[in-house]
């Protein structure tokens, strides 16, 4: 076992935490050293998630105990924002690699962080060191990083189709991303709107009108690729499925859908987890559920109407824990697909 | 019973047909004289829909037998397009009022009909007589009509928030309607993509890129209101719920969301079935399911981003059978809400 | 308005409370005088349930304020057990008729109540006065009652098929009721197991092995009908739908399924809300959803295997609020179906 | 690649076929040589199941072409009963090992087959050679078998908790299995009752009263274990989830639930795919979905009521394709969990 990457998981009782454990349990080059949880410390992880019985029956340790552990090579944090940055500081200081699934290291500008998250950034000095973990676009930086800011789920679904266009110099007048996410995206905290009898047989928009926290993250990365500020209209919706995000993205550009598809397909040639499909073969949530794939198409709007990109991914896998493990594979020099093809 | 409106229902074994029967069964001023079906003639309607046992146990008659019946005052047709127009011709000729839930009398221009439905219009001469049955906008014409073209479900969800703006002279640069519909909207015909194990835990776009037949219907009515041609980007999606449509509509206009809401709220003052809500109180599919309501909000996009209208309705009620009965109430001089408040 | 029954609703923000309000809003002989809630006092009911906008926009009053109101003829309590009995005591003392949807007045023996609900009964003296509100079996007593103990949802689904057999003197060796309920049956309180991402795509048994509180209620009523103690095996399950209960009931008896069906069908002749169906036409949850019906069949087990009764009803309607209103109709001398046919 | 097991899949476009391909694609010791389908021959499997894009893009060959292929070591048949036996006869004659997921080789007595499947058995001579592929109970026979009759999904969920009791000599008076299955169990054929708008928000019993074809299969295997004929009451239900079976099994026996659990737990000691759980930790469909596990508990009925076993498995995995691969692993001398832990 000594040559396996030794893993710690903070916030293991969240949905992303459980998904991480589920994938890592069968990863040939990783071993879970500890799982941690504030609210469930001293309980078995498999008593919280019976599905993990026989897969991981470890007793959860407290974050305080986790922070002082030196016997790990990589720590994944599935903690809430603000809490995450402050709890992983001591881990980073021990020289342990950190993959943070919270929003804490995604925004480069601490003022923008404060404006959207209503709190001072807990570790502004680390922002420069952190690498935005969108694997297909920051692979080289990820390989050498000590802290990864794992991208937001919606963010990944919007950036993957758009970034290659900007990087190719496409002129884009405006963008609207109408996104729909399964309920696990809202986390495991008890809230009325995600109760079964409220969310089932229902569908609704929320945080529309430049109000969702994934918006500045999308605009930052599009801006980096464009070399100038980019604004976007981003509208999230709550979809009555457990997993999956589908984004319908309207792009006002002089390019045809065919040309967009060609640029994006070329960009992702050889990428194991991005499937650029024919326009006749639109992505669906079911086709990517439980996988690390992101599927993408471009459809012509006809007669000057905007081009329509559709992308789909599993919010818990490519939108969170799968991409986090892809980042780990890159950081530790493993084949990028290790443990993720299933 | 003699003073009740005598009703015939063609295509009673469709979802819209069954919903019509369910509502009409408890309508105090209507009585169902016959229910008709091609494929299930001679069977009891309640053997097809056990939920209707004790509510309507009539034996279905064939459309051929229905056509020659003179003992009805109003016929609802839930037949497929093209079939509908040809089967209701003899009914119309008998002077019986007809409310057609198919697409056959919605488009005023038979060439556009042919372009989208790939068939010659079966009764082009009747197109002029037919009134577009969007009750809140054609009430006066409906009162005197002999043929009603009941609007499409998606169409109703897009027109209700937009028409008052155009009628108020608003300057609108472009519109994108990203619409999501429950599976009953696809009808009761056996198709793979609407099988449970395919549609459940799934979500997908379809007929995007100016390909869905409700597009010309929307553009026609917006054009009439604008006094000039209007184009729209309309993207339908299949939502894993039985009932309900939610449309997220992006409107590029100089008006603020607040101003849009004011115009639309004023327009619908006193309307029993349109609820213009606060922006903080976004419509949901569950709030309108099984009712004849359409809920509407307007949200500001901020910093020049488009205004976002959200509308929600039940595709089988306000989007089909409920609105059809609302039309009947208008045509026969009844209080418009009769039988529809439940 | 003066000749309408004036109604107060306690616990109006529960699912059964909202369903009561929804039905009563269109009841021709009733008017809601007040709606009450502890946790949401001073808010509008329609701000909690947007679906009720325009239907009931009353401000919720506190239970303390409700208790002293004399301007009502009938109070429905949708409060939790123990809380309900203590809060409605003053209402009863004012001579106002009470229909209690909690479990507080269902069990005649306060010791059994204590054993199952782990608390002393708050008003044991009233137990004798209270009538068990299973309309088809206690109609005469209900007509003269001042307190109705509205039966449990599971209980109604099990008693309706079985009681006529016992009343007919059938010899029954043993009974197993394997029941499945939609998630609204668990109420609107935040609990992990009824979160969408937990209950969706899931199914589970709970409180099996003589542990569910509806068991003594079923055994009490079967015992009354049998004239001797009856025991039952009752196993509830959580079904991923919003509404509906289906009970599969195994009856070890010398009678054939045909004979059982005949007895039960005869018993319910003329009953508007019980549909005894052919064995070939098994009840389904969808056929009774949103209605006050209970559908029942009997299937032969063959070669000495037990007879299988299947019953289905909507847990919020015939299993709670619909039956409560049916009780009100009986108590106030109205046609029993008033307001309930929709 | 030469040392990998070469696989052919007949009926690859069924749900069990697609699940087989999905699992085998990542099996380290197997390679898919061909996929076959009658109705979709010449199409790509991944055009039928877009989820398989990049995983298996093979062109489907016809069953006729498949039958003459000699370049495979093992053929899985996901064909319908009767069709399966006749199409795999030539494959068996070539000395290729066959794992048949249809019902054709499960019943040892061709008369019982005829009585339940209404057709003469297509290959009665092979019935003796075929081994019933319930891995935990026929491991030794499977290792040497050339034809495996992969057990039915319901069957596996009922036999796994009961067989150890019979093998231990338990005296059991009667058994009732009330089983609930997700919709994928009904296959991919277009049928009205498995359309989304019919099965969603619904729940129903079907084929109750000794009418479901899995009944004789259960009774055969229980009889073999008991050494005498065993009868069972088996009631299947249609559950609105994609995957999963939960069986609630009532066992009239003198043994306590604790004793049953002890016997069964002992029997399955060391078994990788059977988890006998504490009674406080009831199995759920979600805990086993997408895995090869079967979870089992025993609950005491109290005061002479029957013991209640609850079992859960994924109908497409342990109930079909996963168990089929487990059988393959045994037949080819591989570690039994290979490819199945994910």
């Amino acid at each position: 076992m000594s040559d396996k990457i030794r893993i710690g998981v903070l916030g293991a009782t969240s949905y992303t935490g459980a998904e991480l454990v589920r994938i890592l349990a069968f990863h040939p080059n990783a071993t879970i050293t500890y799982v941690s949880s504030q609210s469930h410390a001293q309980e078995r992880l498999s008593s919280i998630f019976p599905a993990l019985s026989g897969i991981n029956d470890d007793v959860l340790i407290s974050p305080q105990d986790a922070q002082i552990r030196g016997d790990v090579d990589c720590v994944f944090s599935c903690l809430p924002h603000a809490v995450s940055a402050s709890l992983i500081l001591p881990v980073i200081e021990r020289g342990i690699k950190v993959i943070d699934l919270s929003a804490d290291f995604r925004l480069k500008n601490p003022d923008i962080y404060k404006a959207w998250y209503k709190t001072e950034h807990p570790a502004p000095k680390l922002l420069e060191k952190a690498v935005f973990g969108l694997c297909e676009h920051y692979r080289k930086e990820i390989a050498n990083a000590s802290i990864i800011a794992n991208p937001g789920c919606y963010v990944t679904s919007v950036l993957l189709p758009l970034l290659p266009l900007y990087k190719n110099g496409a002129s884009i007048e405006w963008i609207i991303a109408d996104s729909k996410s399964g309920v696990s995206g809202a986390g495991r905290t008890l809230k009325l709107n995600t109760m079964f009898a409220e969310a089932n047989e229902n569908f609704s928009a929320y945080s529309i009108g430049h109000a969702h926290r994934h918006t500045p993250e999308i605009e930052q990365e599009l801006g980096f690729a464009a070399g100038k500020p980019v604004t976007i209209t981003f509208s999230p919706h709550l979809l009555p499925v457990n997993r999956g995000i589908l984004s319908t993205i309207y792009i006002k550009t002089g390019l045809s859908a065919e040309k967009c598809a060609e640029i994006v397909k070329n960009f992702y040639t050889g990428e194991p987890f991005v499937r650029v499909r024919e326009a006749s073969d639109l992505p669906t949530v079911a086709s990517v559920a439980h996988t690390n794939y992101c599927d993408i198409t471009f459809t012509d709007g006809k007669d000057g109407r905007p081009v329509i990109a559709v992308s789909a991914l599993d919010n818990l896998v490519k939108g969170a824990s799968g991409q986090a493990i892809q980042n780990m594979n890159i950081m530790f020099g493993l084949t990028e697909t290790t443990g993720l093809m299933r």
Side-chain angles (χ1 to χ4, degrees), chain A:
Chain A
M1 285 274 185
S2 61
D3 55 345
K4 290 198 177 186
I5 307 165
R6 297 164 306 165
I7 307 286
V9 179
L10 300 174
T13 57
S14 61
Y15 286 131
T16 52
E19 188 75 8
L20 259 177
V21 171
R22 195 173 291 125
I23 302 176
L24 288 170
F26 304 113
H27 192 293
N29 306 109
T31 182
I32 294 175
T33 301
Y34 69 75
V35 286
S36 164
S37 160
Q38 183 76 66
S39 46
H40 293 284
Q42 314 310 332
E43 297 178 55
R44 278 185 204 287
L45 180 60
S46 59
S47 74
I48 316 297
F49 294 103
L52 293 176
S53 296
I55 296 171
N56 185 307
D57 292 302
D58 291 353
V59 172
L60 292 151
I61 65 173
S62 74
Q64 290 69 37
D65 287 349
Q67 284 178 314
I68 56 168
R69 292 284 288 262
D71 56 347
V72 292
D73 305 304
C74 183
V75 165
F76 292 85
S77 170
C78 302
L79 297 165
H81 67 87
V83 177
S84 188
S86 58
L87 279 175
I88 62 183
L89 264 175
V91 177
I92 292 166
E93 280 160 13
R94 282 174 182 274
I96 295 166
K97 286 179 188 288
V98 167
I99 298 172
D100 181 20
L101 284 81
S102 90
D104 279 348
F105 296 101
R106 297 175 189 163
L107 297 173
K108 290 297 177 193
N109 184 334
D111 296 338
I112 295 183
Y113 180 89
K114 190 179 173 185
W116 285 87
Y117 290 90
K118 312 294 175 205
T119 184
E120 291 290 341
H121 194 282
K125 284 180 193 162
L126 289 176
L127 286 176
E128 249 178 67
K129 274 182 85 171
V131 171
F132 191 77
L134 192 66
C135 308
E136 290 76 11
H137 290 271
Y138 288 98
R139 188 168 281 124
K140 228 182 299 180
E141 294 84 347
I142 293 165
N144 301 308
S146 53
I147 317 176
I148 296 293
N150 210 57
C153 50
Y154 280 127
V155 176
T156 301
S157 81
V158 176
L159 292 181
L160 285 177
L162 292 179
L163 282 179
L165 300 178
Y166 280 105
K167 290 188 172 177
N168 202 60
S171 165
I172 295 177
E173 202 176 321
W174 49 258
I175 303 165
I176 295 172
D178 193 282
S179 295
K180 303 88 179 172
S181 171
V183 181
S184 64
R188 210 160 177 253
T189 313
L190 299 180
K191 276 175 288 187
L192 187 62
N193 71 319
T194 52
M195 294 290 288
F196 183 88
E198 302 287 327
N200 181 49
E201 289 297 287
N202 201 356
F203 182 75
S204 53
Y206 67 98
S207 299
I208 60 173
H210 210 59
H212 193 279
R213 287 163 168 173
H214 283 183
T215 317
E217 198 178 324
I218 298 170
E219 294 187 337
Q220 166 184 290
E221 294 299 316
L222 293 182
F224 288 162
K228 60 177 182 190
V230 171
T231 61
I232 189 169
T233 295
F234 169 60
S235 302
H237 298 74
L238 189 63
L239 189 62
V241 303
N242 281 354
R243 295 162 168 254
I245 286 179
L246 189 133
S247 290
T248 312
I249 308 170
Y250 302 90
I251 310 167
K252 186 63 183 176
T253 173
L255 300 176
S256 68
E258 213 172 66
K259 184 67 189 164
C260 292
E262 186 195 315
I263 292 168
V264 174
K265 197 160 192 164
N266 283 344
F267 188 92
Y268 292 121
T269 301
E271 285 294 348
F273 294 123
V274 180
R275 298 186 291 199
V276 182
R277 309 169 73 94
E278 298 298 306
S280 60
D281 194 17
L282 293 170
T284 70
V285 156
S287 287
V288 294
H290 297 278
T291 80
N292 201 46
Y293 288 112
C294 178
D295 285 359
I296 298 171
T297 55
F298 291 89
T299 300
D300 207 57
K302 288 184 196 143
D303 305 323
R305 293 176 182 84
V307 166
I308 307 165
V310 179
S311 68
L313 52 75
D314 184 320
N315 58 301
L316 291 180
V317 190
K318 184 61 176 169
S321 306
Q323 182 149 256
I325 289 166
Q326 193 180 351
N327 275 309
M328 180 195 79
N329 288 342
I330 299 173
M331 292 168 96
F332 287 86
L334 302 172
T335 301
E336 202 163 320
T337 54
T338 312
L340 291 168
M341 301 305 293
R342 30 162 219 166

